[in-house]
Amino acid sequence: MLEDQLLIWQLKGGDTDAFCQVYRRYRTDLLRLAALLLHDRVEAEDIVHDVFVSLAKSAEGLTLRKSLKGYLLTCVANAARNRNRASQRRRAAGLDEAATVPSPARTPEQWVTYSEQLERWSGALAQLPYEQREAVVMHLRGGVKFGQIARLQGVSVNTAKGRYRYALEKLRSVLNSELES
Amino acid sequence: MRSAKDIERSFRRADLDIEVDVKRDYEIARDLADLHRRSRPCGTSALGSVPRRMRLGYLALAAVVLVALVTAVLVSRRGSSGSRDVAPPAAPMSAAEMLTVGRLKAVYRQGGPDALEAHCEEAAEKVDGKPKEVSIKDLIVELEGR
C-alpha cells in the first residue's frame, strides 16, 4: 500500500519510469481478469490498454483509497461490464454478425499468450451469465469481497453471494461433464 | 465428480499464466509512458501536482514555522537587550521596606547621597512626615560605618 502510494506520487509528478513500473507490475493480472471475464482475447487486451491509457491521462487527479491493484482491477471489471452490455445490445439488434467480421483495427497482434489452463477456465466461465461470472472471478481471482462486488453490480450483498453460489454450481456441472466426455 | 468446494479451490489455485511478447510489451509501455508525460499540464511543478488539500497543509505549516521563527527572534532580542538596559518594573514598596538597611545601602551605592536623600523623602511622604531626628549626613555615616 505504501509502495503504491509512492508510485502514485511519482505518477503525479510525471515520472514516466513510475508509469512503466505500474504497467509492468499489473498488466498480467489485469489481462488475466479481462480474459476470464470476457473470453475474448482482443477485447481483453483492448480494455486493459484502455485502462492504462485512462490512467496515463488522469494520474494527475488520482486519489487512492485502497491498493492500486484493487483500483485497476475495478477499472477493468467496469470496462468489461460495459463491453459485455454493448455486445448484448449488438446481439439483440442483430448486429452481432457484423461485429464479428474482422477489421484491420481489431486484428490481434498476438503479443499475449494464454496458458492452456487459462483458456480452459475462460471457456468454462463463458458459459455462465455475466454477473455470475463476474462474482466468481472477482472473488476468487481478484480477492474482492462480496460487499464490493455487490457495490460494483449495484445489488445487495446477498444477491452477490447468491450469484457466486450459482456460478460455482454451474461451473461444477460444466467441468464435471467435460471430465465425463 | 468434483464438488463445488473442489471447483472453488482449483480455480483459486489455478496457474493461469500469461506470457507477453517482450518487444511489443516494451513498445506499449513506452507509448503509454509518452502519453502520460504529454498528458501532464505544462509547467506543473512538483508542488503543483500535490492535491489542493495537501497544498493548503503545506502553506499552513510554512506559516506556523514562520510565526515561530519571528517570535523566537523577537523574544531573544528582548531578552538580551532587556537584561542590559531596562530594569524590571519594581514592585511598589512600603515605607518600612524602603527604609531597611539593605535597601538604603543599595540606593546609596547606586545613586549616591542625592539618590539616598530622594529615596528617604519618598519614604517619608508615604508615612506623611519627614524624619527630623536623623539627618541624611548622619545616615550616610551610619551606612558607611557598617
Side-chain angles (χ1 to χ4, degrees), chain A residues 120 171-181, chain B residues 1-3 6-7 10:
Chain A
R120 186 169 145 260
L171 267 179
R172 189 174 76 93
S173 79
V174 167
L175 293 172
N176 283 336
S177 63
E178 269 181 19
L179 279 175
E180 284 168 9
S181 59
Chain B
M1 292 289 280
R2 293 193 286 182
S3 67
D6 292 335
I7 301 291
S10 59

Side-chain angles (χ1 to χ4, degrees), chain A residues 2-136:
Chain A
L2 184 64
E3 205 175 346
D4 281 354
Q5 285 292 356
L6 284 173
L7 275 175
I8 291 292
W9 270 81
Q10 287 167 338
L11 279 182
K12 288 181 175 198
D15 188 339
T16 50
D17 286 344
F19 191 88
C20 290
Q21 210 178 325
V22 171
Y23 173 77
R24 293 208 177 91
R25 184 178 293 180
Y26 297 121
R27 72 195 185 295
T28 49
D29 287 330
L30 301 187
L31 279 166
R32 188 180 295 119
L33 181 77
L36 290 170
L37 287 174
L38 293 172
H39 190 50
D40 183 323
R41 180 186 295 251
V42 181
E43 291 268 4
E45 290 167 21
D46 269 0
I47 64 169
V48 171
H49 189 263
D50 287 352
V51 165
F52 278 112
V53 166
S54 172
L55 180 69
K57 287 180 176 172
S58 63
E60 187 82 15
L62 181 66
T63 46
L64 207 59
R65 288 181 189 163
K66 293 178 186 170
S67 72
L68 183 57
K69 184 182 174 183
Y71 169 78
L72 292 171
L73 288 177
T74 307
C75 290
V76 166
N78 287 335
R81 199 176 315 112
N82 290 339
R83 294 266 174 146
N84 184 62
R85 279 184 197 144
S87 76
Q88 277 180 342
R89 277 198 295 271
R90 278 203 306 270
R91 211 171 295 140
L95 299 172
D96 205 35
E97 289 301 315
T100 54
V101 174
S103 67
R106 285 178 55 85
T107 305
E109 294 183 57
Q110 294 292 328
W111 67 282
V112 179
T113 312
Y114 297 147
S115 67
E116 200 178 318
Q117 274 214 61
L118 178 54
E119 295 278 15
R120 186 169 145 260
W121 278 105
S122 176
L125 286 161
Q127 298 182 47
L128 308 180
Y130 185 80
E131 287 77 17
Q132 292 181 17
R133 196 189 317 163
E134 188 179 57
V136 80

Side-chain angles (χ1 to χ4, degrees), chain B residues 76-88:
Chain B
S76 67
R77 276 192 184 173
R78 182 175 291 179
S80 58
S81 62
S83 62
R84 273 200 311 270
D85 304 325
V86 183

